C-alpha cells in the first residue's frame, strides 16, 4: 500500500510536471582542440507527457547525440536533463540504470542486438531483466513478433537475418515493456514502405492509447508526418520547429516543404 508521502508526491508530480522531459542549455563536444566537434550547442527542448516528436536534420547535425544525451545514455558537457522531475545527472549509476529500464525504451540507429541471443531472446531481454513470468513473456513476444512479421525468425540469430528484420527486432525489444518514453533513432531507416507503415502505426498507437511520449529521429517525411511536432537540427542547434496542423497528409506536405527549404534533403525522397 502507498504511504501518505507517496500519494502526496504523486499528486505533486501530476500537478506540477507538465514536461516529462526537459533538456536545458545542453552542450556536447566530442574530441579536443583541433579535432573538436560541437555536436550540441546550447540546445534546449521541453517535451510534454504524451507528445510524439520527430527530429530531422542532415547527417552529422547532432540528432543521435541529442537522443543519447536526453536519454542519459551519454553525458552532456554542460546543461541539465530532467526526466519525470528527476535530474538524471544527479542519479547514481544504479539508480539511473533502474530508472532507464523501468521507464525508457531505446531503438538504436545501429540496432545493438546481442549476437549470442536469438531474436526472441533479444526481444524478451527487457522482460527477463524485470523478472517477468516466462509464459507471459513468451506470449507477449509472440504477439509483438507476429505483428512485426518476424515470428517465423524467432530462433534465428541477428547475423542470420536481414537488416530490416534486425531493425524490427530492435523495435520489438524497445516496445515490449511499453515504456513511458520511447527514444527511436531512425527506426524505419532499413524498412520498406509496408513495414514502415506497420511500425509507424504501432508507435502511433502506443502514443495515442498508452500515452507514451516518443522522440523519433527520422530522415523520412512520411514517418515524420505521424508526429505532433517536428524539429529540425542544424549544427547542433534548433533550426525549424513545426507543429502538426490539420491531418497527416497536410503535415507531410509541410515537412517536405521545410526539407526543401533546408536544402537538398528532399532529393533523397
Ligand atoms: N563518438 C564521436 N566522436 C567524435 N565525433 C562524434 C562522435 N559521435 C558523433 N560525432 C560527431 O558529432 C556530430 C553529430 O553526430 P551525430 O551522430 O549526432 O549526427 P546525426 O545527426 O545523428 O547524423 P546521422 O544522420 O548521420 O546519423 C557529427 O559531426 C559527428 O561526426
Ligand atoms: Mg544519427
Amino acid at each position: 500500500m502507498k504511504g501518505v508521502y507517496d500519494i502526496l508526491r504523486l499528486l505533486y508530480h501530476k500537478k506540477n510536471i507538465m514536461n516529462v522531459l526537459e533538456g536545458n542549455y545542453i552542450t556536447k563536444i566530442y574530441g579536443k582542440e583541433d579535432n573538436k566537434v560541437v555536436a550540441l550547442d546550447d540546445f534546449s527542448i521541453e517535451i510534454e507527457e504524451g507528445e510524439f516528436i520527430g527530429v530531422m536534420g542532415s547527417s552529422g547535425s547532432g540528432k543521435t547525440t541529442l537522443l543519447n544525451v536526453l536519454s542519459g545514455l551519454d553525458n552532456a558537457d554542460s546543461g541539465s536533463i530532467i526526466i519525470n522531475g528527476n535530474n538524471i545527472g544527479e542519479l547514481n549509476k544504479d539508480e539511473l540504470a533502474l530508472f532507464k529500464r523501468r521507464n525508457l525504451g531505446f531503438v538504436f540507429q545501429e540496432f545493438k542486438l546481442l549476437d549470442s541471443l536469438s531474436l526472441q531472446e533479444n526481444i524478451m531481454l527487457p522482460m527477463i531483466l524485470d523478472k517477468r513470468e516466462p509464459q507471459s513473456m513468451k506470449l507477449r513476444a509472440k504477439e509483438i513478433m507476429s505483428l512485426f512479421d518476424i515470428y517465423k525468425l524467432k530462433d534465428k540469430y541477428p547475423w542470420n537475418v536481414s537488416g530490416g528484420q534486425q531493425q524490427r527486432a530492435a523495435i520489438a525489444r524497445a516496445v515490449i515493456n511499453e515504456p513511458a518514453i520511447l527514444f527511436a533513432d531512425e527506426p524505419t531507416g532499413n524498412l520498406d514502405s509496408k513495414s514502415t507503415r506497420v511500425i509507424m502505426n504501432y508507435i502511433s498507437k502506443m502514443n495515442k492509447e498508452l500515452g507514451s511520449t516518443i522522440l523519433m529521429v527520422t530522415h523520412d517525411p512520411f514517418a515524420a508526418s505521424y508526429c505532433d511536432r517536428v524539429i529540425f537540427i542544424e549544427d547542433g542547434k534548433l533550426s525549424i520547429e513545426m507543429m502538426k496542423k490539420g491531418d497527416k497528409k497536410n503535415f507531410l506536405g509541410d515537412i517536405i516543404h521545410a526539407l526543401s527549404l533546408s536544402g537538398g534533403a528532399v532529393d533523397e525522397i
Side-chain angles (χ1 to χ4, degrees), residues 30-31 35 37-39 57-66 109 185-186 217 219:
Y30 294 110
N35 292 320
V37 176
V38 182
S58 50
S59 181
S61 57
K63 304 177 299 295
T64 296
T65 307
L66 179 68
Q109 192 167 10
D185 200 347
E186 289 281 1
V217 171
H219 281 104

Side-chain angles (χ1 to χ4, degrees), residues 35-52:
N35 292 320
K36 207 165 106 172
V37 176
V38 182
L40 290 175
D41 189 359
D42 213 23
F43 193 100
S44 294
I45 185 168
E46 294 187 349
I47 299 174
E48 284 182 20
E49 190 167 2
E51 261 199 290
F52 185 177

Side-chain angles (χ1 to χ4, degrees), residues 97-152:
L98 186 67
F99 178 78
K100 283 200 272 197
R101 205 168 78 221
R102 291 273 156 84
N103 298 283
L104 312 183
F106 302 90
V107 181
F108 298 96
Q109 192 167 10
E110 68 282 16
F111 317 141
K112 294 200 180 165
L113 294 170
L114 299 177
D115 268 344
S116 53
L117 300 181
S118 68
L119 286 200
Q120 177 170 255
E121 288 161 345
N122 264 288
I123 290 166
M124 291 194 321
L125 201 56
M127 301 181 100
I128 293 169
L129 293 172
D130 244 359
K131 301 191 172 61
R132 303 271 284 270
E133 195 266 315
Q135 205 49 35
S136 74
M137 283 197 294
K138 281 201 171 148
L139 278 175
R140 172 78 181 128
K142 184 175 179 186
E143 177 190 35
I144 193 100
M145 292 178 92
S146 305
L147 189 65
F148 290 179
D149 197 22
I150 48 174
Y151 186 63
K152 57 185 179 302

